Amino acid sequence: MKRVWVDRDKCLGCKTCELQCAVERNSASRTLAGAVLEDPKPVARVGVFGATGQSFPIQCRHCEDATCLKACPSGALQRDPEKENVFIDQAKCRGCWMCVMTCPFGAVVPSARFKVAIKCDACMHMEEPACVASCPTGALVYGDEAGYEKVLAGRRGRIAVFAAADSKIISLDFVREGN
Amino acid sequence: MKELRKKSADSAVNQVIVKAYREQIELVWDRTEALQPQCGFGRMAICCTDCLEGPCRVNPFAEDGQKAICGRDQQALVANYFLRKTADGAAALASLAEQFGCDLDPSTWRSISLTTDCMIPCGKRFDDLGRAVVTTLTAIANAQGSRRQALPAGMGVLEDGKPNIVCHGHIPPAKVEALVKAAGAEANVVSICGNEKTLPVVTNYDSQETALLTGLVDLLVVGSQCVTPALIALAEKLSVPVTAAATLGDEAGFEQAIAIARNCFHRRAGKAGSFAAGKKQSYIGYDEVAVSKGLVYLGGCGNVANTQDASFLKAASFLIEKGFAVVTAGCAGTALAKAGMCNATSVINLGSCHDAGEFLELARRAKAAGLPVFAVLPELTHNKTLATAVGCASQDIPTWVNLGEMSLPADLLGGNIRAFAGVAQLPQVLAEVVVGKVSAGER
């Protein structure tokens, strides 16, 4: 399943992803200039949190064992059979906020105005998620596990080599890519 | 607000913060928390809004360095940002000099008048700015003179039982004098930042709101710089009268101001917030300075991200222990004064940060006597403080400044301005200064 991966070293906390998500997915005008004038204000489905210098964008993780899916009494929370991401059918949502309460990431947001829950759906009907497309540093990446396995393998490979090369090593060090 | 009791090294400020938290009054620390995380592009100074073809921000992680639309690369963006902030700070100082009645040469103004339409960076402009700052600070220092006087520091300088008038924001000394004269024995005139040279000081920049929350302020007289909009809004909310020093012209104006304070005091009589605040004995100015190993300027404004005053206190303790005479001013000076550190003749508080010209004079004399001289600004916020640092560097005084994530060009100002990572770096700084590795023009 494709999901949004985050390289946290590259997140600078600029919140461009928040702006783009709100403009593309929650505004009527689909432009920044128009979106800021709308009422109610467009809501983003991704949030950048953390302290300065340690920021991290959080959107729905589309969990393989999603608690929100289990918690929803109306069947509004559903999983797309083909893409496997979790989305909300807002016509069925009654605004009970069970999903809001159970999500361990706080990624589901209640909309008091429209009485439905709002959650990232990985931009399933678009080519690429808006947040990923807009990220200026490449901290957000859209891909499946196979793509990320390469990154993991690279990291592990470097540790393994490091350990074998010098028999006097008593601890493993994590060497970052690019340094 | 998180970690309420760790916001300041000043216990009086912490007490007021607790009170504000209980009454749900928003302070600078709440606004800072709500704003997290702050944008890394801005903090690295690689976001540029000089022209309308922008805004541009370059990706610091790109394989081939990305350039802004006009062609500036990462280093050029940082250099430009630094230049404009320095020029703005120099203008702030020049503006104060003019308000204080100094006549500045047109060439000084010309050096300060930088425009963003000038797009190609030039190192020479920093040297010009440095010279302009030195001229300006010297003019301000000469206009006031210096002598050692006892002026207490701390929230406790606000008195129970009489009207308290707080001067804040670099008000011209002549106006302060007139206000004090009009107040006589009836009202107590004190300062927040900008007027520490002649008045007892309540607190410094980041905690300016807390002074109002004591309930003891009957009139806030504001100058032209360092007064936050939040302070004005809070004064309105708490019904504390505010008047701009610029509007106080003739004797009648000052009498009117005292009358306002008197009325406010009568309205609130008996309703002052009670808290255990102290004040410390402290001295401003100098008749003589006791120097043994060398001379250091410890300056800066503070940064709301850190515990207020803590870095200045740690730095001062270390430098004093190592035998250096510490000259301080402004919010850094107030931090030391509130902690009772400005009593010996080896720790001199010059007053406000715009009085730093006096340090430049002391530095000249110390250098002539062959003593090592340097400057360190562990936390700075405002542009005129940055400009002061540039002024020191331009006089071949090695200057260490904490600029966060900004990385300065290496050969700026003869290599005299360099990044300061924190108080832990001080031993290394001292080693470089004392061993003489850092001297005029060398790296």
Side-chain angles (χ1 to χ4, degrees):
Chain A
M1 173 191 134
K2 278 194 166 191
R3 41 158 55 109
V4 177
W5 299 88
V6 178
D7 183 348
R8 63 179 309 191
D9 290 329
K10 289 190 179 168
C11 176
L12 291 180
C14 73
K15 306 192 190 188
T16 302
C17 53
E18 288 189 17
L19 280 182
Q20 275 311 111
C21 176
V23 168
E24 297 245 5
R25 303 306 310 280
N26 207 243
S27 76
S29 57
R30 298 281 192 279
T31 64
L32 183 61
V36 297
L37 298 171
E38 285 177 25
D39 179 58
K41 297 200 178 82
V43 170
R45 297 141 178 222
V46 56
V48 180
F49 301 104
T52 298
Q54 290 158 30
S55 47
F56 195 94
I58 296 182
Q59 65 271 89
C60 171
R61 303 315 311 157
H62 300 281
C63 306
E64 294 198 10
D65 184 15
T67 47
C68 59
L69 263 182
K70 292 189 213 167
C72 179
S74 66
L77 263 302
Q78 297 163 37
R79 189 184 297 278
D80 184 87
E82 188 198 317
K83 299 214 172 99
E84 292 182 49
N85 59 276
V86 179
F87 67 96
I88 299 179
D89 178 358
Q90 293 188 338
K92 295 205 171 104
C93 175
R94 295 195 211 109
C96 70
W97 310 150
M98 289 302 293
C99 54
V100 173
M101 288 186 283
T102 56
C103 174
F105 298 97
V108 189
V109 175
S111 167
R113 192 64 171 265
F114 295 122
K115 302 173 185 161
V116 292
I118 298 178
K119 181 184 80 63
C120 159
D121 61 3
C123 290
M124 49 197 266
H125 302 300
M126 292 161 57
E127 262 193 54
E128 196 185 13
C131 57
V132 173
S134 70
C135 179
T137 58
L140 292 170
V141 164
Y142 191 54
D144 54 22
E145 281 85 359
Y148 203 70
E149 285 296 337
K150 278 192 231 161
V151 177
L152 292 177
R155 292 183 188 173
R156 290 184 201 128
R158 216 154 301 138
I159 297 174
V161 167
F162 190 75
D166 186 342
S167 57
K168 289 192 219 130
I169 295 292
I170 53 170
S171 67
L172 292 177
D173 250 313
F174 186 86
V175 180
R176 290 224 174 260
E177 190 160 14
N179 278 8
Chain B
M1 209 196 295
K2 298 177 193 158
E3 294 184 336
L4 282 185
R5 290 172 179 80
K6 289 191 199 162
K7 294 308 185 193
S8 177
D10 180 346
S11 59
V13 168
N14 284 334
Q15 281 180 53
V16 177
I17 289 175
V18 169
K19 180 182 166 205
Y21 176 75
R22 291 199 185 120
E23 294 175 19
Q24 295 187 311
I25 296 175
E26 173 204 81
L27 295 179
V28 64
W29 294 276
D30 300 293
R31 291 189 295 273
T32 305
E33 248 166 65
L35 217 58
Q36 297 304 309
Q38 286 166 267
C39 176
F41 290 102
R43 291 185 61 80
M44 292 172 70
I46 53 178
C47 168
C48 181
T49 51
D50 278 5
C51 76
L52 292 174
E53 282 203 324
C56 296
R57 40 137 163 76
V58 293
N59 183 359
F61 305 113
E63 287 293 324
D64 320 306
Q66 192 180 13
K67 295 201 176 68
I69 290 171
C70 69
R72 281 179 180 155
D73 65 4
Q74 199 165 326
Q75 280 88 348
L77 286 169
V78 179
N80 171 69
Y81 178 83
F82 189 59
L83 180 69
R84 297 224 285 117
K85 289 189 80 60
T86 305
D88 184 86
L93 286 170
S95 160
L96 286 181
E98 288 241 314
Q99 284 178 43
F100 294 7
C102 308
D103 266 319
L104 289 179
D105 205 66
S107 65
T108 303
W109 285 108
R110 231 174 281 132
S111 308
I112 296 169
S113 307
L114 288 175
T115 164
T116 60
D117 283 4
C118 252
M119 304 179 81
I120 296 176
C122 171
K124 182 183 170 296
R125 292 216 221 126
F126 276 105
D127 301 327
D128 289 344
L129 274 176
R131 263 191 297 275
V133 167
V134 171
T135 307
T136 308
L137 286 173
T138 307
I140 293 175
N142 290 341
Q144 296 182 91
S146 175
R147 59 184 178 82
R148 188 171 163 81
Q149 34 174 342
L151 285 170
M155 205 79 83
V157 305
L158 291 167
E159 291 179 27
D160 254 323
K162 51 158 69 162
N164 288 296
I165 299 175
V166 176
C167 290
H168 176 39
H170 302 267
I171 301 171
K175 297 214 175 183
V176 172
E177 213 182 297
L179 190 66
V180 170
K181 184 158 161 260
E186 182 191 351
N188 180 33
V189 184
V190 298
S191 80
I192 302 181
C193 71
N195 293 101
E196 305 94 312
K197 199 175 187 44
T198 52
L199 299 172
V201 63
V202 181
T203 194
N204 33 7
Y205 177 75
D206 276 321
S207 50
Q208 56 186 270
E209 291 157 301
T210 61
L212 293 187
L213 285 165
T214 59
L216 290 168
V217 180
D218 300 294
L219 176 65
L220 181 65
V221 181
V222 294
S224 58
Q225 296 179 17
C226 297
V227 180
T228 60
L231 185 73
I232 306 297
L234 185 61
E236 195 178 339
K237 182 176 167 144
L238 299 174
S239 303
V240 174
V242 180
T243 186
T247 61
L248 300 174
D250 56 4
E251 206 180 307
F254 290 101
E255 293 295 339
Q256 171 72 352
I258 306 298
I260 292 172
R262 190 186 301 132
N263 289 338
C264 181
F265 174 68
H266 286 145
R267 274 201 309 274
R268 65 137 170 118
K271 278 196 293 180
S274 66
F275 59 100
K279 59 181 175 184
K280 289 272 164 51
Q281 184 197 15
S282 185
Y283 289 88
I284 299 283
Y286 64 97
D287 298 319
E288 53 167 33
V289 185
V291 188
S292 75
K293 291 270 173 58
L295 189 73
V296 56
Y297 179 68
L298 180 62
C301 320
N303 190 309
V304 74
N306 308 324
T307 301
Q308 188 194 35
D309 299 347
S311 69
F312 298 119
L313 297 176
K314 279 198 200 102
S317 301
F318 180 83
L319 292 166
I320 292 166
E321 192 203 340
K322 295 295 176 187
F324 272 75
V326 175
V327 177
T328 183
C331 294
T334 301
L336 300 191
K338 286 188 292 174
M341 289 178 89
C342 295
N343 290 304
T345 50
S346 56
V347 181
I348 306 292
N349 185 354
L350 297 172
S352 176
C353 60
H354 61 241
D355 295 319
E358 295 182 38
F359 164 72
L360 293 175
E361 172 57 37
L362 287 170
R364 248 171 257 133
R365 287 193 245 158
K367 277 191 169 188
L371 289 160
V373 182
F374 70 104
V376 61
L377 291 90
E379 288 173 13
L380 65 85
T381 304
H382 286 283
N383 293 345
K384 57 180 175 289
T385 319
L386 183 64
T388 302
V390 169
C392 288
S394 76
Q395 298 289 96
D396 281 330
I397 298 168
T399 305
W400 276 265
V401 241
N402 187 340
L403 290 169
E405 288 92 343
M406 271 173 63
S407 49
L408 284 178
D411 50 0
L412 209 53
L413 293 157
N416 279 322
I417 196 149
R418 62 279 298 286
F420 185 68
V423 178
Q425 197 189 341
L426 275 178
Q428 183 191 334
V429 166
L430 271 194
E432 283 182 44
V433 168
V434 171
V435 176
K437 278 188 192 155
V438 183
S439 57
E442 281 175 29
R443 280 251 46 203

